[in-house]
Amino acid sequence: MSVYPFTHLPSHTTLLSVPQTSHEKFIKECYKLARRSVKRGKHPFSAILLVNNEVFATADNTFTTNLDCTAHAEMNLIRKVQHQISSEDLAQCILYSSTEPCAMCAGAIYWAGIRNVVFGCSAAALKKLAGQPLDIPCRDIFRTAHDKVSVVGPVLEEEGLKIHQAFWKRPIHIESKIKNAAVLVANEN
């Protein structure tokens, strides 16, 4: 049972019927959150959950701050809302992500019941830029699912890539990896 009052979308409403300008508006908001995350020492990823065309929740990637490899923005968003909104109601929501959900996040999105996803940067573009070793488009994962998941993206990819270019080429990014490794070693002792 949801603790949030829903106005259900008519069954004929699909993600593709939402105007592109709406997608751009919320992807720009994801990019704004991603830039804020970088300023706070986090990776440049963010996610927004839209309920009844309003932002219900936001999340960013806390991998570096929590030292948790599963703390991607989409995973953090799902953790935040999963006890507030039923999977039936989540199917009516739209998840916006600054970057295409990875394989782990795509699985979590599906199992949470979210059936509408819009992303900014593609996994392929991020791989070219940052050398991500696991590049499986979320559409490939959702295509194998029993229930249909609608996907729109990339949206405003060039704008998002600028955020990633600035982040992944920073010397501080390399320093934060060393610092995080030192923290892990210190915690083991």
Side-chain angles (χ1 to χ4, degrees), residues 54-87:
E54 293 181 20
V55 174
F56 178 75
T58 66
D60 54 9
N61 181 306
T62 57
F63 166 75
T64 55
T65 53
N66 292 354
L67 300 177
D68 178 356
C69 65
T70 68
H72 292 191
E74 299 90 342
M75 297 291 287
N76 289 338
L77 185 72
I78 290 166
R79 287 181 185 114
K80 191 184 279 190
V81 303
Q82 70 183 350
H83 297 294
Q84 299 175 51
I85 304 174
S86 71
S87 59

Short mmCIF file of all heavy atoms in Angstrom, two decimals, residues 54-87:
data_model
loop_
_atom_site.label_atom_id
_atom_site.label_comp_id
_atom_site.label_asym_id
_atom_site.label_seq_id
_atom_site.Cartn_x
_atom_site.Cartn_y
_atom_site.Cartn_z
N GLU A 54 5.49 15.13 -10.87
CA GLU A 54 6.21 15.92 -9.87
C GLU A 54 7.37 15.10 -9.32
O GLU A 54 7.28 13.88 -9.19
CB GLU A 54 5.27 16.29 -8.71
CG GLU A 54 4.16 17.24 -9.08
CD GLU A 54 3.29 17.59 -7.88
OE1 GLU A 54 3.74 17.41 -6.73
OE2 GLU A 54 2.16 18.04 -8.10
N VAL A 55 8.45 15.79 -8.99
CA VAL A 55 9.60 15.11 -8.41
C VAL A 55 9.21 14.61 -7.01
O VAL A 55 8.82 15.39 -6.15
CB VAL A 55 10.82 16.06 -8.33
CG1 VAL A 55 11.97 15.38 -7.58
CG2 VAL A 55 11.26 16.48 -9.73
N PHE A 56 9.32 13.30 -6.83
CA PHE A 56 8.99 12.68 -5.55
C PHE A 56 10.24 12.43 -4.73
O PHE A 56 10.25 12.60 -3.52
CB PHE A 56 8.23 11.37 -5.79
CG PHE A 56 7.88 10.64 -4.53
CD1 PHE A 56 6.84 11.09 -3.72
CD2 PHE A 56 8.59 9.52 -4.13
CE1 PHE A 56 6.52 10.42 -2.55
CE2 PHE A 56 8.28 8.84 -2.97
CZ PHE A 56 7.23 9.30 -2.17
N ALA A 57 11.31 12.02 -5.43
CA ALA A 57 12.56 11.71 -4.73
C ALA A 57 13.74 11.87 -5.69
O ALA A 57 13.58 11.71 -6.90
CB ALA A 57 12.53 10.28 -4.19
N THR A 58 14.89 12.19 -5.11
CA THR A 58 16.14 12.28 -5.87
C THR A 58 17.21 11.49 -5.13
O THR A 58 17.10 11.26 -3.92
CB THR A 58 16.61 13.74 -6.04
OG1 THR A 58 16.96 14.27 -4.76
CG2 THR A 58 15.54 14.61 -6.69
N ALA A 59 18.23 11.10 -5.88
CA ALA A 59 19.35 10.40 -5.26
C ALA A 59 20.58 10.60 -6.13
O ALA A 59 20.48 10.88 -7.32
CB ALA A 59 19.04 8.92 -5.11
N ASP A 60 21.73 10.45 -5.50
CA ASP A 60 22.98 10.51 -6.24
C ASP A 60 23.81 9.27 -5.93
O ASP A 60 23.42 8.43 -5.12
CB ASP A 60 23.75 11.81 -5.97
CG ASP A 60 24.00 12.07 -4.50
OD1 ASP A 60 23.74 11.19 -3.66
OD2 ASP A 60 24.46 13.17 -4.17
N ASN A 61 24.92 9.15 -6.59
CA ASN A 61 25.82 8.02 -6.43
C ASN A 61 26.66 8.27 -5.18
O ASN A 61 27.34 9.28 -5.08
CB ASN A 61 26.70 7.91 -7.68
CG ASN A 61 27.65 6.74 -7.64
OD1 ASN A 61 28.41 6.59 -6.70
ND2 ASN A 61 27.64 5.94 -8.68
N THR A 62 26.61 7.35 -4.23
CA THR A 62 27.38 7.52 -2.99
C THR A 62 28.47 6.46 -2.86
O THR A 62 28.89 6.13 -1.75
CB THR A 62 26.44 7.50 -1.76
OG1 THR A 62 25.69 6.28 -1.76
CG2 THR A 62 25.49 8.68 -1.78
N PHE A 63 28.89 5.94 -4.00
CA PHE A 63 29.95 4.92 -4.01
C PHE A 63 31.18 5.38 -3.25
O PHE A 63 31.71 4.67 -2.40
CB PHE A 63 30.30 4.57 -5.46
CG PHE A 63 31.57 3.81 -5.61
CD1 PHE A 63 31.62 2.46 -5.29
CD2 PHE A 63 32.72 4.41 -6.08
CE1 PHE A 63 32.80 1.74 -5.42
CE2 PHE A 63 33.90 3.69 -6.22
CZ PHE A 63 33.94 2.35 -5.88
N THR A 64 31.66 6.59 -3.54
CA THR A 64 32.90 7.05 -2.91
C THR A 64 32.71 7.45 -1.46
O THR A 64 33.60 7.25 -0.65
CB THR A 64 33.50 8.25 -3.68
OG1 THR A 64 32.52 9.27 -3.79
CG2 THR A 64 33.97 7.84 -5.06
N THR A 65 31.57 8.00 -1.12
CA THR A 65 31.36 8.45 0.25
C THR A 65 30.96 7.31 1.18
O THR A 65 31.29 7.34 2.37
CB THR A 65 30.31 9.57 0.31
OG1 THR A 65 29.12 9.14 -0.34
CG2 THR A 65 30.82 10.83 -0.35
N ASN A 66 30.27 6.29 0.67
CA ASN A 66 29.84 5.16 1.50
C ASN A 66 30.74 3.95 1.32
O ASN A 66 30.55 2.96 2.03
CB ASN A 66 28.41 4.75 1.16
CG ASN A 66 27.39 5.77 1.57
OD1 ASN A 66 27.71 6.77 2.20
ND2 ASN A 66 26.16 5.55 1.18
N LEU A 67 31.67 4.02 0.35
CA LEU A 67 32.52 2.88 0.02
C LEU A 67 31.67 1.63 -0.22
O LEU A 67 31.96 0.54 0.27
CB LEU A 67 33.57 2.64 1.10
CG LEU A 67 34.53 3.79 1.34
CD1 LEU A 67 35.49 3.47 2.47
CD2 LEU A 67 35.29 4.16 0.08
N ASP A 68 30.60 1.82 -1.00
CA ASP A 68 29.65 0.75 -1.31
C ASP A 68 29.48 0.71 -2.82
O ASP A 68 28.91 1.63 -3.41
CB ASP A 68 28.32 1.03 -0.62
CG ASP A 68 27.24 0.00 -0.94
OD1 ASP A 68 27.48 -0.91 -1.76
OD2 ASP A 68 26.15 0.12 -0.37
N CYS A 69 29.97 -0.35 -3.45
CA CYS A 69 29.92 -0.45 -4.91
C CYS A 69 28.51 -0.57 -5.45
O CYS A 69 28.29 -0.40 -6.65
CB CYS A 69 30.78 -1.61 -5.39
SG CYS A 69 30.20 -3.23 -4.87
N THR A 70 27.52 -0.84 -4.61
CA THR A 70 26.14 -0.92 -5.08
C THR A 70 25.38 0.40 -4.89
O THR A 70 24.20 0.48 -5.20
CB THR A 70 25.35 -2.03 -4.34
OG1 THR A 70 25.18 -1.67 -2.97
CG2 THR A 70 26.04 -3.37 -4.48
N ALA A 71 26.04 1.42 -4.40
CA ALA A 71 25.37 2.69 -4.08
C ALA A 71 25.29 3.62 -5.29
O ALA A 71 25.63 4.79 -5.22
CB ALA A 71 26.06 3.37 -2.91
N HIS A 72 24.83 3.07 -6.40
CA HIS A 72 24.59 3.89 -7.59
C HIS A 72 23.34 4.74 -7.36
O HIS A 72 22.51 4.42 -6.51
CB HIS A 72 24.39 3.00 -8.82
CG HIS A 72 25.62 2.27 -9.25
ND1 HIS A 72 25.70 1.62 -10.45
CD2 HIS A 72 26.82 2.10 -8.65
CE1 HIS A 72 26.89 1.06 -10.57
NE2 HIS A 72 27.59 1.34 -9.48
N ALA A 73 23.20 5.80 -8.13
CA ALA A 73 22.07 6.72 -7.94
C ALA A 73 20.73 6.01 -8.03
O ALA A 73 19.85 6.22 -7.19
CB ALA A 73 22.15 7.86 -8.96
N GLU A 74 20.57 5.14 -9.04
CA GLU A 74 19.29 4.44 -9.20
C GLU A 74 19.02 3.51 -8.02
O GLU A 74 17.88 3.43 -7.55
CB GLU A 74 19.29 3.63 -10.51
CG GLU A 74 19.48 4.47 -11.75
CD GLU A 74 20.93 4.65 -12.17
OE1 GLU A 74 21.85 4.43 -11.35
OE2 GLU A 74 21.14 5.02 -13.33
N MET A 75 20.04 2.82 -7.54
CA MET A 75 19.88 1.92 -6.40
C MET A 75 19.51 2.71 -5.15
O MET A 75 18.62 2.31 -4.39
CB MET A 75 21.17 1.14 -6.15
CG MET A 75 21.59 0.22 -7.28
SD MET A 75 20.51 -1.19 -7.51
CE MET A 75 20.96 -2.17 -6.09
N ASN A 76 20.18 3.84 -4.94
CA ASN A 76 19.87 4.68 -3.77
C ASN A 76 18.44 5.21 -3.86
O ASN A 76 17.74 5.30 -2.84
CB ASN A 76 20.87 5.83 -3.66
CG ASN A 76 22.24 5.35 -3.23
OD1 ASN A 76 22.38 4.28 -2.64
ND2 ASN A 76 23.26 6.12 -3.53
N LEU A 77 18.00 5.56 -5.05
CA LEU A 77 16.63 6.06 -5.24
C LEU A 77 15.62 4.96 -4.91
O LEU A 77 14.65 5.20 -4.18
CB LEU A 77 16.45 6.55 -6.67
CG LEU A 77 15.11 7.20 -6.98
CD1 LEU A 77 15.03 8.57 -6.33
CD2 LEU A 77 14.91 7.31 -8.48
N ILE A 78 15.86 3.77 -5.40
CA ILE A 78 14.95 2.65 -5.13
C ILE A 78 14.91 2.35 -3.63
O ILE A 78 13.83 2.16 -3.06
CB ILE A 78 15.36 1.40 -5.94
CG1 ILE A 78 15.07 1.66 -7.43
CG2 ILE A 78 14.63 0.15 -5.45
CD1 ILE A 78 15.73 0.66 -8.37
N ARG A 79 16.06 2.35 -2.98
CA ARG A 79 16.08 2.11 -1.53
C ARG A 79 15.26 3.17 -0.78
O ARG A 79 14.62 2.88 0.21
CB ARG A 79 17.52 2.12 -1.02
CG ARG A 79 18.32 0.90 -1.40
CD ARG A 79 19.74 0.97 -0.84
NE ARG A 79 20.51 -0.15 -1.30
CZ ARG A 79 21.56 -0.06 -2.11
NH1 ARG A 79 21.99 1.12 -2.53
NH2 ARG A 79 22.22 -1.13 -2.49
N LYS A 80 15.34 4.39 -1.28
CA LYS A 80 14.65 5.51 -0.63
C LYS A 80 13.12 5.39 -0.74
O LYS A 80 12.41 5.76 0.19
CB LYS A 80 15.12 6.82 -1.28
CG LYS A 80 14.71 8.07 -0.56
CD LYS A 80 15.14 9.33 -1.31
CE LYS A 80 16.57 9.68 -1.05
NZ LYS A 80 16.93 11.03 -1.57
N VAL A 81 12.61 4.88 -1.87
CA VAL A 81 11.16 4.91 -2.11
C VAL A 81 10.46 3.57 -2.00
O VAL A 81 9.24 3.53 -1.94
CB VAL A 81 10.84 5.52 -3.50
CG1 VAL A 81 11.43 6.91 -3.65
CG2 VAL A 81 11.28 4.61 -4.63
N GLN A 82 11.21 2.48 -1.92
CA GLN A 82 10.57 1.17 -2.02
C GLN A 82 9.57 0.86 -0.91
O GLN A 82 8.67 0.05 -1.10
CB GLN A 82 11.63 0.07 -2.10
CG GLN A 82 12.42 -0.15 -0.84
CD GLN A 82 13.49 -1.20 -1.03
OE1 GLN A 82 13.53 -1.90 -2.04
NE2 GLN A 82 14.37 -1.32 -0.05
N HIS A 83 9.70 1.50 0.23
CA HIS A 83 8.74 1.26 1.31
C HIS A 83 7.65 2.33 1.36
O HIS A 83 6.77 2.28 2.22
CB HIS A 83 9.47 1.17 2.66
CG HIS A 83 10.42 0.03 2.71
ND1 HIS A 83 10.03 -1.29 2.67
CD2 HIS A 83 11.78 0.00 2.74
CE1 HIS A 83 11.08 -2.06 2.70
NE2 HIS A 83 12.16 -1.31 2.74
N GLN A 84 7.71 3.28 0.45
CA GLN A 84 6.71 4.34 0.40
C GLN A 84 5.71 4.16 -0.73
O GLN A 84 4.61 4.68 -0.67
CB GLN A 84 7.39 5.70 0.21
CG GLN A 84 8.34 6.07 1.33
CD GLN A 84 9.06 7.36 1.02
OE1 GLN A 84 8.43 8.35 0.68
NE2 GLN A 84 10.37 7.36 1.12
N ILE A 85 6.13 3.45 -1.79
CA ILE A 85 5.31 3.30 -2.98
C ILE A 85 5.27 1.83 -3.37
O ILE A 85 6.32 1.18 -3.46
CB ILE A 85 5.88 4.13 -4.16
CG1 ILE A 85 6.02 5.60 -3.77
CG2 ILE A 85 5.01 3.99 -5.39
CD1 ILE A 85 6.70 6.46 -4.83
N SER A 86 4.10 1.30 -3.62
CA SER A 86 3.98 -0.10 -4.03
C SER A 86 4.53 -0.30 -5.43
O SER A 86 4.64 0.64 -6.22
CB SER A 86 2.51 -0.53 -4.00
OG SER A 86 1.80 0.10 -5.06
N SER A 87 4.87 -1.54 -5.76
CA SER A 87 5.39 -1.82 -7.10
C SER A 87 4.34 -1.52 -8.17
O SER A 87 4.68 -1.10 -9.28
CB SER A 87 5.89 -3.26 -7.20
OG SER A 87 4.87 -4.17 -6.91
#
